[in-house]
Amino acid sequence: MINKFLRESNVAAAILTVIRVYIGYAWLTAGWGKLTGGGFDSAGFMQGAIGKATGEHPAVQGWWASFLEGVALPNAEIFTFLVMWGEFLVGIALILGIFTNFAAIMGLAMNFAFLFSGTVSTNAQMVLLTVFIAAAGFNAAKFGLDRWVIPYIRQTITKKETKSAPVV
């Protein structure tokens, strides 16, 4: 019942538009601050998360700390780039309502990475709201660019498949 409402209702589409723009603005400003501030380096954040994996009540699970220490920290420059641009581009996509489902899923992935790293902040709220956007599918961007972009892409793909199909 709620899924039908999220996926088909114009009222839900309007509410989701407000949520989508709100979440998008949060991502956009976070990414823009990192891009223009010049001081963001994910290595410090990762080292802090690794430090939270010890003690009697660790905030970070050992498997995640091992990933950060063995994979992410040695490649901190790549992760710094991905976080800055990921936040910024997810924000733009959600605000404009273009590639909304993909942007929502990428936003969820980043939020979960931050939560796994022991940072709560607004991440839990953003996860909850983004789940509604992702569950709504195409309806979340009914009042966005996906309204025109997705049908165009589908039409283009269909034309290419028709042209390349063998004649029997």
Side-chain angles (χ1 to χ4, degrees):
M1 185 167 131
I2 188 142
N3 202 28
K4 182 178 173 81
F5 173 73
L6 285 174
R7 290 181 168 265
E8 297 176 11
S9 168
N10 286 335
V11 172
I15 294 168
L16 289 164
T17 298
V18 172
I19 293 170
R20 181 174 49 80
V21 170
Y22 168 74
I23 297 293
Y25 181 77
W27 280 121
L28 180 76
T29 56
W32 183 251
K34 289 174 178 72
L35 286 167
T36 60
F40 176 70
D41 181 11
S42 66
F45 177 79
M46 289 185 264
Q47 289 168 342
I50 293 166
K52 293 178 188 176
T54 59
E56 192 172 324
H57 301 288
V60 176
Q61 295 183 17
W63 67 270
W64 184 254
S66 295
F67 165 76
L68 291 175
E69 194 169 29
V71 177
L73 195 54
N75 299 297
E77 288 181 17
I78 295 169
F79 280 87
T80 297
F81 178 85
L82 291 173
V83 168
M84 291 187 308
W85 283 100
E87 289 180 351
F88 183 71
L89 293 173
V90 164
I92 288 174
L94 289 175
I95 289 169
L96 297 177
I98 188 164
F99 306 120
T100 304
N101 290 335
F102 180 72
I105 291 168
M106 292 302 102
L108 283 171
M110 285 190 292
N111 269 315
F112 276 117
F114 300 148
L115 289 169
F116 287 152
S117 298
T119 301
V120 179
S121 185
T122 60
N123 297 106
Q125 169 191 324
M126 289 175 72
V127 165
L128 179 63
L129 294 174
T130 306
V131 164
F132 287 109
I133 294 169
F138 185 73
N139 203 37
K142 187 172 193 172
F143 304 118
L145 294 179
D146 277 348
R147 184 177 190 166
W148 297 280
V149 172
I150 298 301
Y152 175 78
I153 291 172
R154 287 181 181 155
Q155 181 182 5
T156 303
I157 290 171
T158 304
K159 284 181 182 178
K160 285 183 181 179
E161 288 175 355
T162 306
K163 288 180 181 179
S164 64
V167 178
V168 181

